[in-house]
Amino acid sequence: MTVSIVGCGMTDVGEHWSRGIGELAEEAGRLALEDAGLAQVEALYIGNAYGATFNQQTQLGPLIAHQLGLGGIEAYTCEAGDASGGVALRSGWLAVAAGAVRSALVLGVEKSTDTVGPARATARAVSLDADYETVNGATMTAMAGLLMRRYMHENQVELHQFEGFSVNAHRNGARNSLAMYRNQLRAGAFAKAPMLAEPVSLFDSAPDADGAAAVVLVAEDMASDLVPRPITVCGSAVATACLTLQERREPLRLDAVQASAALALAQAGLEMDDIDVFELHDAYTILTTLALEAMGLSEAGAGWRWAAEGGARIARDGDKPISTFGGLKSRGNPSGATGLYQAVEASLQLRGEAGENQVLGAKHAITQSVGGLGATVATHVLSASGD
Amino acid sequence: MTRTQESPSASLDMAERGADRVYGTLYSYTTVQEPPVGFVGQAPYQLALVGLDDGRLVTAQLTDVDGEIAMGERVEMVTRKLTTDGERGMIVYGYKFRPLIK
């Protein structure tokens, strides 16, 4: 059964101190259902990474289903660190594709910012390896720093050469009214930014944020009766790599990115050259760099070249537009919700409803949601209908 | 190989028994400016991936660093306090790496 996206909704991304996790989810879920013209779905799949540690809250299934007035439907959380949203979309896709349900709401939500300082670093570090990484004081940002320094060392790349990834994200985010940080990044500022875990700086790392985003999935034969422009989910794949960096054969190679992207494209019957829009997991510029290499868009060691000239080649009007609504870096990183923000943003692109962020003539998009430093990777291929 | 066979615990056990010293080189390193709970008093501290001489990589803090460090620098494993667990103050020991004395 082919699966279509018929509804999209998202909240603004930022610090939502006055709203609970259920209220954020309710807003995104209601917007997506209204967009689809549906009052009820058969199942609810939730992407959430750190409810247990940020919010002391699990069982988001019943909490959010009730908040949305969906009665006693099947509803539960899918967790894979920052890839939680991507794996939730995969779960929804599986359920509809298998014919187990005819319609599903897939909703990502994260409320990060009530937890601050060392408590937040600890809360996020649960997606690393407890026995071999966090026991030694490792954080997600520190592990990204280790990866980035090694990459720079092996390939003789300097810090300022990654700048274009962040400049591009902020250039796009500045036009997204829902983005967390809508400032442009001044040329030359990147390499001078305060260090979080050298060489990863404040202008390299995506900000923790609160937000919720949702899509409505239905079986394709229902879709055209509901909306004029359903989006087809024509590729869906999840792959995993060693949770620790230390146990990977080649830490600078993101095998799960390679595997999930290849599977999703093969399923869609498309080549990488057919893809018009890329929503990648740009939590750190090194992850974007390594993802571009793992997907075959660069030779190993050359992915950073996409950042050249202020990211001109990855801009909305470039060869391979990336982070078209600002990505995690500028739109913000509400961890378990990012995979659904990507799905909504890609759907808007394919509908031609991306406004100031529109990539002209976009027919096919890839969304990629990454947990940890490439341990879980969910890749989806979305296509405009009738193509 | 299974995780147990590949894990650095065998090397750690050797170090703890004093049977042999464990050496390696710096594969990568960083400085943690935003520490998690239990590591606040130590911050900023250096975290590294060390390539052990037997070929395995291990994640660990650097200690006893006096001055600059560099990629490829030789280091040795030592037993150190990692953190203090909770308010009762149970001390958690583990391995860290220090530069070889030149």
Side-chain angles (χ1 to χ4, degrees):
Chain A
M1 184 74 73
T2 302
V3 180
S4 299
I5 293 176
V6 292
C8 294
M10 51 185 172
T11 71
D12 58 316
V13 180
E15 295 172 325
H16 290 289
W17 291 323
S18 63
R19 290 201 285 170
I21 198 165
E23 292 168 281
L24 282 173
E26 182 187 357
E27 182 184 333
R30 207 168 288 295
L31 287 169
L33 289 167
E34 283 170 12
D35 191 34
L38 284 174
Q40 184 67 45
V41 286
E42 290 181 36
L44 168 64
Y45 303 102
I46 295 160
N48 175 262
Y50 306 113
T53 54
F54 280 152
N55 317 109
Q56 293 74 52
Q57 183 67 64
T58 61
Q59 296 228 59
L60 294 179
L63 189 151
I64 295 169
H66 177 74
Q67 189 104 14
L68 281 164
L70 295 173
I73 62 166
E74 170 177 330
Y76 53 84
T77 302
C78 304
E79 183 279 312
D82 279 12
S84 297
V87 301
L89 183 56
R90 168 70 174 167
S91 297
W93 183 90
L94 283 172
V96 177
V101 299
R102 298 271 292 157
S103 61
L105 180 64
V106 184
L107 191 154
V109 63
E110 202 74 58
K111 193 146 190 314
S112 316
T113 68
D114 287 347
T115 306
V116 297
R120 189 187 296 172
T122 299
R124 278 180 62 81
V126 294
S127 60
L128 298 174
D129 188 296
D131 290 341
Y132 290 96
E133 294 176 331
T134 44
V135 71
N136 296 303
T139 62
M140 195 96 82
T141 305
M143 299 311 287
L146 292 175
L147 212 50
M148 189 173 182
R149 190 191 295 275
R150 183 68 194 180
Y151 182 89
M152 291 166 69
H153 174 75
E154 285 193 14
N155 301 297
Q156 289 89 51
V157 186
E158 291 179 32
L159 187 57
H160 69 88
Q161 292 175 300
F162 294 88
E163 178 173 83
F165 290 123
S166 291
V167 168
N168 173 65
H170 279 266
R171 187 167 51 222
N172 293 337
R175 294 164 173 244
N176 175 4
S177 62
L178 301 180
M180 183 173 192
Y181 289 120
R182 301 187 63 194
N183 59 304
Q184 299 268 2
L185 210 58
R186 206 175 61 252
F190 179 85
K192 295 177 196 156
M195 285 295 161
L196 304 178
E198 197 178 352
V200 171
S201 75
L202 198 60
F203 289 177
D204 182 290
S205 165
D208 300 333
D210 309 332
V215 295
V216 177
L217 303 181
V218 298
E220 190 181 38
D221 58 1
M222 278 175 71
S224 52
D225 293 337
L226 289 168
V227 293
R229 283 190 298 267
I231 303 302
T232 307
V233 185
C234 52
S236 171
V238 172
T240 55
C242 282
L243 182 58
T244 62
L245 288 184
Q246 70 184 38
E247 289 171 287
R248 295 186 194 169
R249 284 181 206 290
E250 174 43 80
L252 294 178
R253 207 178 61 206
L254 298 185
D255 289 338
V257 167
Q258 189 278 327
S260 66
L263 281 168
L265 276 174
Q267 196 183 343
L270 294 171
E271 305 286 333
M272 195 58 82
D273 280 349
D274 298 324
I275 305 300
D276 305 304
V277 173
F278 294 80
E279 294 303 331
L280 303 181
H281 192 85
D282 59 339
Y284 305 99
T285 60
I286 188 62
L287 284 185
T288 309
T289 303
L290 296 177
L292 289 165
E293 294 176 11
M295 290 195 297
L297 287 162
S298 281
E299 297 289 307
W304 60 274
R305 293 183 191 277
W306 285 100
E309 290 162 40
R313 292 173 66 206
I314 54 172
R316 280 189 311 283
D317 56 356
D319 306 344
K320 307 283 178 202
I322 297 177
S323 303
T324 63
F325 282 76
L328 280 66
K329 177 69 194 77
S330 171
R331 176 241 293 136
N333 179 14
S335 306
T338 54
L340 274 308
Y341 274 94
Q342 293 174 328
V344 171
E345 290 160 354
S347 296
L348 294 177
Q349 289 287 6
L350 300 172
R351 286 176 177 177
E353 294 178 359
E356 283 194 83
N357 297 84
Q358 186 66 47
V359 173
L360 292 177
K363 291 279 188 285
H364 307 288
I366 273 185
T367 66
Q368 192 167 78
S369 194
V370 175
L373 280 306
T376 305
V377 182
T379 305
H380 286 86
V381 179
L382 275 48
S383 295
S385 53
D387 194 80
Chain B
M1 278 199 290
T2 67
R3 178 190 179 95
T4 319
Q5 288 166 321
E6 279 194 342
S7 80
S9 60
S11 300
L12 177 61
D13 290 346
M14 279 166 55
E16 282 180 338
R17 287 201 311 270
D20 211 346
R21 288 186 179 277
V22 176
Y23 297 102
T25 57
L26 275 187
Y27 176 86
S28 194
Y29 61 94
T30 187
T31 305
V32 179
Q33 303 287 353
E34 297 189 330
V37 173
F39 294 85
V40 175
Q42 304 171 42
Y45 52 89
Q46 287 169 317
L47 189 76
L49 279 169
V50 174
L52 301 182
D53 287 353
D54 65 11
R56 291 173 291 186
L57 270 183
V58 51
T59 312
Q61 279 191 39
L62 299 179
T63 188
D64 304 342
V65 175
D66 186 17
E68 293 289 300
I69 50 168
M71 300 291 277
E73 184 153 334
R74 294 289 291 164
V75 293
E76 71 173 326
M77 187 183 270
V78 289
T79 300
R80 287 287 185 277
K81 174 180 163 181
L82 294 181
T83 185
T84 305
D85 196 9
E87 292 181 10
R88 295 277 301 278
M90 175 105 82
I91 294 173
V92 179
Y93 288 98
Y95 47 85
K96 295 187 182 181
F97 285 80
R98 69 178 176 201
L100 287 187
I101 296 160
K102 294 171 184 119

